Amino acid sequence: MEIRRLYELLVLSAPTLSEPEHTALMESIARTVQQNGGTVLHQVVWGKRLLAYPIQKHREGWYSLFYVAAYPSQITPVEQWLKLQPHVLRYMFVRVNRAHLAVLQKQYNLTLPEGVSVARPK
């Protein structure tokens, strides 16, 4: 039996997107998560930032952060969809642990839905 978990999804998208195009991309990411059974609990757009090194000849990119509650099997289709998006330069899913959750609850007033588990810190 799978356990529903809390994930952090960081998406780095191309700087060539205008603000409305970037917003549309973020909405489509949230819709894809929901279509695959996940729930977007919180979304933060960090905006355009310089990259530490060039990625696909880009020196900057749009950073966006999602907090997602989902079963592990629901993450794979979202990752596959993200790989096919031409404007997504990089993405990363990370399981949120209890120590990180405490910070999120203070910073974003994030509350967990019933039945969502978090990892123990190592």
Side-chain angles (χ1 to χ4, degrees):
M1 184 175 146
E2 283 188 309
I3 298 172
R4 196 165 179 199
R5 303 198 184 277
L6 180 62
Y7 294 93
E8 181 177 79
L9 168 61
L10 179 65
V11 178
L12 174 60
S13 54
T16 55
L17 294 174
S18 65
E19 198 160 334
E21 290 172 328
H22 178 259
T23 302
L25 177 63
M26 296 305 102
E27 289 171 359
S28 65
I29 291 171
R31 193 172 26 247
T32 302
V33 167
Q34 292 169 348
Q35 288 172 348
N36 286 291
T39 307
V40 176
L41 302 176
H42 193 69
Q43 180 179 343
V44 181
V45 176
W46 289 349
K48 275 188 184 178
R49 296 192 176 197
L50 288 176
L51 305 176
Y53 54 89
I55 299 175
Q56 297 176 6
K57 299 183 181 180
H58 295 292
R59 302 271 292 129
E60 62 181 7
W62 286 95
Y63 282 83
S64 301
L65 189 63
F66 296 84
Y67 290 97
V68 176
Y71 292 103
S73 62
Q74 296 169 331
I75 298 299
T76 305
V78 177
E79 286 182 322
Q80 291 171 345
W81 182 86
L82 286 167
K83 286 178 187 175
L84 297 174
Q85 300 310 303
H87 296 295
V88 174
L89 302 177
R90 296 280 192 277
Y91 68 89
M92 182 172 58
F93 271 101
V94 178
R95 270 181 55 194
V96 174
N97 64 28
R98 289 183 185 156
H100 189 178
L101 178 62
V103 173
L104 294 177
Q105 288 173 330
K106 287 180 185 175
Q107 188 172 6
Y108 299 125
N109 198 19
L110 186 70
T111 56
L112 284 181
E114 185 134 348
V116 175
S117 174
V118 292
R120 292 186 188 134
K122 293 183 178 183

